[in-house]
Amino acid sequence: MELVRSTNLSALLVLLSCFCLQFGSAIDTITAAKFINDSETIISNGGDFKLGFFSPPNSTDRYVGIWYAEISVFTVVWVANRNNPLKNSSGVLTISEDGNLVVLDGQKKILWSSNLTNSVVNLSAQLLDSGNLVLQGNTTGTFLWESFQHPSNTFIEKMKISTDVRTGKKVQLTSWTSPSDPSIGNFSAGIDARNLPELFIWNGSRPYWRSGPWNGLVFIGLQNMYSVFHDGFSLVDDKEGTIYLSFSSSNDSFPYTYVLNEQGNLLEAYSNNSGEDWEVTWSSYKTECDVYGKCGAYGSCNSHNSPICSCLRGFEPKNTEEWNRGNWTSGCVRRTPLQCERVNNGSDGGKKDGFLKLTMMKVPDLADWSSAREENCRNQCLENCSCIAYAFDAGTGCMPWTRSLIDLQKFSSGGVDLYVRVAYSELDTKEKVKVIITVSVIIVLIFTGICTYLLWRWMAKQNGRRKTKMLLYKFSGEEKLGDNVNQVKLQELLLFNLQELASATNNFHQSNKLGQGGFGPVYRGKLSNGQEIAVKRLSRDSGQGQEEFMNEVVVISKLQHRNLVRLHGCCVEGEEKMLVYEYMPNKSLDAFLFDPVKSKLLDWRRRFNIIEGICPGLLYLHRDSRLKIIPRDLKTSNILLDEELNPKISDFGLARIFGGNGDQANTTRVVGTYGYMSPEYAMKGRFSEKSDVFSFRVLLLEIVSGRRNSSFFDDEQDMSLPGFAWKMWNADNIVALTDPIICEPSFEMEILRCINVGLLCVQDFANDRPTVPIVISMLKSEIIDLPLPKQPAFTEREIAPDASSSQNNQSKCSVNNVTVTMVQGR
Ligand SMILES: *[C@@H]1O[C@H](CO)[C@@H](O)[C@H](O)[C@H]1NC(C)=O
Ligand SMILES: *[C@@H]1O[C@H](CO)[C@@H](O)[C@H](O)[C@H]1NC(C)=O
Ligand SMILES: *[C@@H]1O[C@H](CO)[C@@H](O)[C@H](O)[C@H]1NC(C)=O
Ligand SMILES: *[C@@H]1O[C@H](CO)[C@@H](O)[C@H](O)[C@H]1NC(C)=O
Ligand SMILES: *[C@@H]1O[C@H](CO)[C@@H](O)[C@H](O)[C@H]1NC(C)=O
Ligand SMILES: *[C@@H]1O[C@H](CO)[C@@H](O)[C@H](O)[C@H]1NC(C)=O
Ligand SMILES: *[C@@H]1O[C@H](CO)[C@@H](O)[C@H](O)[C@H]1NC(C)=O
Ligand SMILES: *[C@@H]1O[C@H](CO)[C@@H](O)[C@H](O)[C@H]1NC(C)=O
Ligand SMILES: *[C@@H]1O[C@H](CO)[C@@H](O)[C@H](O)[C@H]1NC(C)=O
Ligand SMILES: *[C@@H]1O[C@H](CO)[C@@H](O)[C@H](O)[C@H]1NC(C)=O
Ligand SMILES: *[C@@H]1O[C@H](CO)[C@@H](O)[C@H](O)[C@H]1NC(C)=O
Ligand SMILES: *[C@@H]1O[C@H](CO)[C@@H](O)[C@H](O)[C@H]1NC(C)=O
């Protein structure tokens, strides 16, 4: 009996395993013969996506859909029979006799079909690893139908949201009606290509939200697109009439999705598959101002104001009573007619119109596009009577408006400068300026007063806190501390204890590691009060005692400048020595500059801004701070970037802890990075502030060329970047040296100037090199005639660069023009 039962069991097991093998060995295809019923699913070849029947939460209706197979939170990305649910579990998904993919109910009634008309027989439907369900014949590779062309509410990687300009056919997202009903809701999201292409969300047929035009890198109507969106967003005109948007995430292990929810809100979310819900990292609707045309024509929305809407300067509410009631839909009208209108009415035109400049604006809808360069954009608009505003963006080009300005928003950062045409009399007169100045002076005075008071309060509080902290520490021999560091200064330094930092960085967990600096690893951390910090755990023994170390840290923490990374404090406990810095979200400059994707974010304006930011930081260290610090290890990885990509010098002063002290000193050990070091430092270990100027040139040239200095050492040509620069400078071939991304004729002079300064900074003799203040004047064009550089160091082994490489660069250079032509297409 026992025996029989066990044989039965093993027979069952064999049967089961057969069953599992058959269905478990990743069946990813459906044919007329191999259809699936309600209890079966198919899995894509790599196991990322599943297709089968499901019910949404709080619903018993059955739908055919595709969802993530590996993410524990059930997430549907596509639904077939959205508007025709199955009422029970007797449905099947199969290929019908006419070759269509169909969902049938228990009575073989077609609830949903791929609706191909001239379909061929013996088709198969395959679920690809991208999440795309494709219908193909015996010729693989050509898809007769694909689910990516018929999206639901979810936009995933490798999908394309598109618009056919000629036929107007759109591939767009459509919202669900409710979380438990996937039927087509009121909202859709797609590309609007009437003017400059941009992303729109519609409520029914009315626009509900817009992104602003694409400028080749970002949508210019979005605030902070840099920090929010991923690398690899692209809007492409395929030159055959289709414009499409796609994205690729920089890290495949975390899937990102964009979901258009039932309220018309486009959400960016990712899952780290920890069993928790998707984390929303961005949403299209943040404030009321994001609703299209909230303030009507010529009205500007600012979510920080109350009321949020105001008329542009020179305009007044069309209907004051309505406006005051908070119904802004009818917008504003012009107060004083423009010159053109006055002339048309037969009267004397009077003085020429002018432009009012509005900064940090979301570009209004319905921009036209003109090929005018930045300097002509204004004149072109002024000469055209129907032009009412213009703006210029480096990527998009000149944008004039001839229709009412609608959907304007005032940002607190980013945006474009919008120039609105007004009659001469509306322009600022001297009186107005006087009033404005008086008012602002008063405001500033009041503000300063308040700030001073708050600061005083805060400092008092902090002092109290630090004092208690200090009690935790036993200082041996405080009386021995140097003259320049007294008790008070030590108290100003925030001392952290090891436990606090360990819990802030999750016990110095590998996932919090930001990088490995020259002096030890750096971790990202979050203090219990929510403040983000970067903790440098010094690995090298500084060879200093506790007080000496603290002295140095106090000294360094006193150096405060907007272009220096702020040192918050330190921690000394046992063997451990740690420095606590402010956290810089955008990491270091090299991470941007040498990354093929991220480098596109650094247009010339930004790069110049970075160059301009490093100088004052350096100047402060060299001249304006009391101590005269020589950073010595100035390089791209030591330039950190804040949210707005402003540069901050890091790691300065560490040489004081590890090296000797004082400048113009000799050291036995060479601190610094080969290629950045000045000849006298590399050879003789002598350093001075002019050594930093030498390092600065490499930075400058790297920023301009987008190439690593070290990349040249690997080159067959075996030439340093300054050597190459020198060669190209003499050959009058600046284009070959310039990063194709920033290569644009309008910046040529500025780039040339930077290279000239860069070469001056690398002169062999320290005395030939300009000091930092002179470099600043040179860059700002205060010194017009730059001295011509002499041949720099490290250029001995020169071979003429081959012509093909420079040719290459030149052709790459036109990439920019291509982007513009794409935009021009409309
Ligand atoms: C689905 O098909 C499988 C095998 O073909 C069968 O065992 C199962 O009972 C079917 N389920 C339904 C609900 O028809
Ligand atoms: C489902 O119903 C419950 C109870 O009515 C409700 O709390 C929950 O939010 C609903 N879930 C969804 C997704 O609608
Ligand atoms: C499922 O519903 C269909 C009608 O939609 C019906 O014909 C069929 O009998 C039902 N099957 C079951 C098992 O209830
Ligand atoms: C297929 O065509 C039918 C009839 O024209 C239509 O009702 C249905 O919505 C179409 N289905 C899809 C998925 O387009
Ligand atoms: C379709 O497939 C079936 C079975 O795989 C085969 O017998 C039949 O010949 C095929 N028909 C055509 C037209 O290829
Ligand atoms: C594919 O099938 C069609 C008929 O459905 C047939 O005419 C054609 O020759 C087949 N092609 C190949 C490569 O088998
Ligand atoms: C869709 O719009 C209609 C009116 O046009 C409204 O009655 C309905 O509630 C809206 N549905 C959703 C989900 O907002
Ligand atoms: C969408 O439009 C409908 C009317 O067409 C309106 O009732 C609804 O409030 C709108 N939804 C939003 C979120 O504005
Ligand atoms: C993606 O992220 C995971 C976890 O943070 C990391 O281990 C992996 O290296 C990353 N992959 C890439 C390609 O960046
Ligand atoms: C995933 O994210 C959640 C919250 O966003 C976080 O608590 C959790 O630690 C993360 N898990 C992993 C493995 O990164
Ligand atoms: C706002 O004003 C417009 C135009 O006068 C009118 O059509 C609309 O009904 C008003 N809306 C509200 C909420 O009063
Ligand atoms: C032009 O003249 C007409 C009537 O002569 C008047 O109604 C209109 O307001 C005038 N427009 C301007 C801009 O002065």
Side-chain angles (χ1 to χ4, degrees):
M1 201 58 196
E2 272 299 300
L3 195 78
V4 176
R5 245 167 65 191
S6 65
T7 22
N8 270 349
L9 198 66
S10 49
L12 188 69
L13 274 177
V14 170
L15 231 158
L16 262 178
S17 59
C18 286
F19 182 83
C20 290
L21 262 179
Q22 192 185 357
F23 291 94
S25 65
I27 288 186
D28 65 353
T29 310
I30 291 173
T31 60
K34 273 193 293 177
F35 59 87
I36 60 167
N37 67 19
D38 192 280
S39 53
E40 296 162 327
T41 56
I42 60 171
I43 300 187
S44 68
N45 196 17
D48 286 344
F49 288 93
K50 245 185 203 170
L51 171 112
F53 291 75
F54 75 98
S55 291
N58 292 354
S59 165
T60 53
D61 289 348
R62 304 294 288 168
Y63 296 89
V64 172
I66 298 174
W67 58 88
Y68 282 102
E70 286 183 332
I71 289 176
S72 45
V73 180
F74 181 74
T75 313
V76 174
V77 297
W78 183 77
V79 184
N81 53 328
R82 295 179 70 175
N83 292 332
N84 263 335
L86 289 151
K87 293 298 175 190
N88 58 29
S89 56
S90 55
V92 290
L93 175 66
T94 184
I95 306 282
S96 68
E97 280 159 14
D98 65 359
N100 270 309
L101 184 65
V102 288
V103 176
L104 304 174
D105 70 4
Q107 288 166 338
K108 304 273 180 264
K109 189 176 146 231
I110 296 179
L111 292 183
W112 176 86
S113 156
S114 54
N115 274 0
L116 292 173
T117 44
N118 48 357
S119 195
V120 268
V121 284
N122 276 10
L123 294 189
S124 64
Q126 191 183 9
L127 180 61
L128 304 181
D129 229 13
S130 55
N132 197 2
L133 179 64
V134 299
L135 201 54
Q136 55 197 0
N138 49 8
T139 47
T140 47
T142 49
F143 304 148
L144 299 168
W145 179 92
E146 52 184 313
S147 65
F148 273 9
Q149 288 287 315
H150 303 84
S152 297
N153 67 346
T154 310
F155 183 34
I156 58 177
E157 243 187 292
K158 303 201 174 70
M159 239 168 106
K160 287 172 181 171
I161 290 183
S162 66
T163 289
D164 188 317
V165 182
R166 292 164 308 183
T167 63
K169 189 174 170 292
K170 285 191 171 80
V171 172
Q172 59 183 9
L173 306 180
T174 44
S175 67
W176 289 20
T177 302
S178 79
S180 50
D181 179 5
S183 64
I184 291 179
N186 287 348
F187 295 94
S188 55
I191 305 293
D192 176 279
R194 287 169 302 162
N195 294 71
L196 298 169
E198 55 186 296
L199 186 62
F200 259 75
I201 297 174
W202 292 274
N203 178 2
S205 58
R206 291 185 308 150
Y208 177 63
W209 176 88
R210 54 182 273 276
S211 65
W214 177 255
N215 76 354
L217 290 173
V218 295
F219 291 108
I220 58 177
L222 299 185
Q223 211 173 351
N224 304 331
M225 182 158 173
Y226 290 95
S227 50
V228 165
F229 282 75
H230 295 273
D231 312 333
F233 238 103
S234 63
L235 187 72
V236 177
D237 188 339
D238 71 357
K239 298 274 183 280
E240 285 164 11
T242 305
I243 296 179
Y244 64 84
L245 177 72
S246 60
F247 74 97
S248 66
S249 133
S250 52
N251 194 332
D252 286 341
S253 44
F254 295 155
Y256 266 88
T257 62
Y258 291 83
V259 177
L260 181 65
N261 76 5
E262 298 74 34
Q263 286 83 40
N265 197 352
L266 188 64
L267 302 173
E268 177 195 68
Y270 83 98
S271 168
N272 64 8
N273 200 15
S274 58
E276 283 170 65
D277 212 346
W278 289 66
E279 187 166 355
V280 175
T281 45
W282 176 83
S283 75
S284 61
Y285 180 94
K286 283 187 219 69
T287 67
E288 270 189 278
C289 286
D290 294 317
V291 174
Y292 182 92
K294 185 79 194 170
C295 298
Y298 303 106
S300 167
C301 198
N302 184 346
S303 57
H304 297 298
N305 286 357
S306 176
I308 53 174
C309 289
S310 56
C311 287
L312 298 180
R313 279 197 285 161
F315 292 79
E316 59 196 4
K318 187 167 187 186
N319 182 335
T320 316
E321 193 212 335
E322 222 177 67
W323 183 272
N324 291 342
R325 261 192 289 125
N327 181 355
W328 299 295
T329 44
S330 19
C332 309
V333 290
R334 197 177 282 288
R335 212 156 36 196
T336 320
L338 295 176
Q339 190 194 26
C340 288
E341 298 171 25
R342 295 193 303 260
V343 170
N344 284 349
N345 250 13
S347 69
D348 171 30
K351 285 194 167 145
K352 242 181 169 356
D353 299 332
F355 290 99
L356 283 177
K357 178 180 178 181
L358 307 173
T359 56
M360 300 192 284
M361 298 298 288
K362 173 172 183 170
V363 281
D365 195 13
L366 299 172
D368 293 323
W369 184 82
S370 141
S371 61
R373 305 266 291 273
E374 186 164 11
E375 55 277 16
N376 295 333
C377 195
R378 181 190 187 92
N379 285 340
Q380 212 175 55
C381 185
L382 200 56
E383 277 154 25
N384 178 356
C385 266
S386 55
C387 177
I388 45 184
Y390 77 90
F392 187 89
D393 175 87
T396 319
C398 177
M399 293 173 281
W401 278 266
T402 53
R403 286 163 278 191
S404 306
L405 304 180
I406 192 149
D407 198 34
L408 287 102
Q409 207 185 127
K410 170 86 178 168
F411 289 148
S412 50
S413 66
V416 299
D417 291 345
L418 180 70
Y419 296 86
V420 180
R421 183 187 199 130
V422 291
Y424 180 81
S425 60
E426 293 286 349
L427 292 171
D428 285 335
T429 59
K430 276 194 179 137
E431 265 77 20
K432 278 188 195 157
V433 173
K434 251 186 209 162
V435 171
I436 288 168
I437 289 176
T438 322
V439 170
S440 5
V441 165
I442 293 171
I443 289 173
V444 166
L445 280 178
I446 294 173
F447 186 70
T448 321
I450 293 173
C451 281
T452 320
Y453 173 69
L454 288 179
L455 196 68
W456 173 76
R457 284 262 315 262
W458 182 80
M459 299 230 303
K461 220 163 116 195
Q462 291 291 312
N463 266 343
R465 231 178 80 193
R466 275 172 199 145
K467 265 183 196 131
T468 46
K469 263 187 199 249
M470 285 295 290
L471 291 180
L472 295 171
Y473 286 85
K474 236 177 51 238
F475 262 89
S476 48
E478 262 164 32
E479 66 285 348
K480 277 186 282 175
L481 296 178
D483 285 344
N484 55 342
V485 185
N486 55 35
Q487 186 70 31
V488 183
K489 277 176 192 152
L490 260 179
Q491 282 180 0
E492 280 169 22
L493 178 69
L494 203 46
L495 284 164
F496 294 85
N497 62 46
L498 187 58
Q499 209 178 358
E500 197 177 353
L501 294 183
S503 76
T505 57
N506 193 8
N507 253 326
F508 303 102
H509 193 265
Q510 201 61 18
S511 65
N512 283 330
K513 189 163 163 182
L514 290 170
Q516 176 80 36
F519 302 99
V522 184
Y523 298 88
R524 173 185 183 168
K526 201 171 197 176
L527 295 175
S528 50
N529 64 8
Q531 189 188 11
E532 291 209 280
I533 52 168
V535 182
K536 186 182 275 277
R537 195 178 190 181
L538 300 177
S539 54
R540 277 200 232 155
D541 186 15
S542 63
Q544 283 175 323
Q546 193 157 309
E547 315 95 90
E548 274 175 288
F549 175 75
M550 302 274 280
N551 272 352
E552 289 298 341
V553 173
V554 170
V555 169
I556 298 170
S557 75
K558 299 238 97 178
L559 299 173
Q560 289 178 15
H561 188 273
R562 58 185 294 269
N563 294 113
L564 299 181
V565 176
R566 178 83 199 272
L567 179 65
H568 285 316
C570 68
C571 168
V572 191
E573 231 164 273
E575 297 288 285
E576 290 282 3
K577 285 186 181 144
M578 281 173 242
L579 297 173
V580 179
Y581 288 99
E582 67 176 313
Y583 173 67
M584 299 299 249
N586 270 326
K587 310 231 172 107
S588 57
L589 176 58
D590 61 339
F592 267 82
L593 205 52
F594 307 124
D595 184 291
V597 179
K598 278 184 174 170
S599 63
K600 295 199 188 114
L601 292 179
L602 293 179
D603 55 25
W604 174 243
R605 280 278 137 252
R606 285 204 159 72
R607 290 189 194 201
F608 196 64
N609 179 42
I610 287 170
I611 294 171
E612 278 187 323
I614 298 170
C615 287
L618 205 51
L619 184 61
Y620 173 83
L621 287 175
H622 283 176
R623 194 184 70 181
D624 297 337
S625 75
R626 237 166 3 97
L627 289 157
K628 200 165 188 183
I629 297 258
I630 313 286
R632 290 188 237 178
D633 206 6
L634 197 63
K635 54 182 174 180
T636 46
S637 60
N638 279 343
I639 305 295
L640 305 188
L641 300 174
D642 71 5
E643 296 93 338
E644 274 138 25
L645 299 180
N646 293 315
K648 293 192 183 213
I649 302 174
S650 77
D651 267 10
F652 56 87
L654 285 194
R656 279 178 67 97
I657 295 178
F658 292 104
N661 36 47
D663 51 52
Q664 273 294 355
N666 289 324
T667 48
T668 43
R669 188 180 50 212
V670 171
V671 187
T673 308
Y674 182 60
Y676 287 88
M677 290 180 296
S678 61
E680 71 269 19
Y681 184 31
M683 292 168 197
K684 304 184 195 105
R686 268 172 75 82
F687 55 86
S688 69
E689 52 187 293
K690 295 217 175 176
S691 323
D692 277 345
V693 172
F694 192 94
S695 309
F696 177 65
R697 111 288 191 190
V698 177
L699 267 172
L700 204 68
L701 294 175
E702 282 184 331
I703 290 172
V704 171
S705 68
R707 301 178 63 171
R708 262 183 216 278
N709 188 26
S710 57
S711 74
F712 284 85
F713 293 113
D714 307 331
D715 261 2
E716 285 166 28
Q717 299 170 19
D718 202 8
M719 203 180 352
S720 67
L721 179 53
F724 181 65
W726 171 247
K727 192 88 205 167
M728 292 299 104
W729 170 267
N730 278 336
D732 254 345
N733 190 358
I734 294 306
V735 169
L737 181 63
T738 312
D739 192 339
I741 294 165
I742 57 167
C743 196
E744 215 181 289
S746 50
F747 299 137
E748 215 167 67
M749 284 316 293
E750 230 164 48
I751 292 173
L752 199 63
R753 182 165 277 271
C754 276
I755 294 172
N756 192 342
V757 173
L759 285 171
L760 284 176
C761 294
V762 295
Q763 303 297 295
D764 285 355
F765 298 106
N767 283 342
D768 285 346
R769 283 176 230 146
T771 55
V772 176
I774 293 180
V775 168
I776 293 178
S777 303
M778 283 174 170
L779 288 175
K780 284 193 172 156
S781 307
E782 281 161 8
I783 297 175
I784 303 288
D785 296 317
L786 299 184
L788 285 177
K790 301 175 194 165
Q791 176 160 0
F794 298 142
T795 54
E796 282 77 22
R797 275 181 286 169
E798 292 168 348
I799 300 166
D802 61 73
S804 69
S805 84
S806 58
Q807 196 79 43
N808 242 342
N809 276 329
Q810 243 147 357
S811 61
K812 270 193 208 137
C813 210
S814 59
V815 167
N816 243 320
N817 302 341
V818 173
T819 322
V820 175
T821 15
M822 162 211 111
V823 167
Q824 186 184 12
R826 308 288 62 81

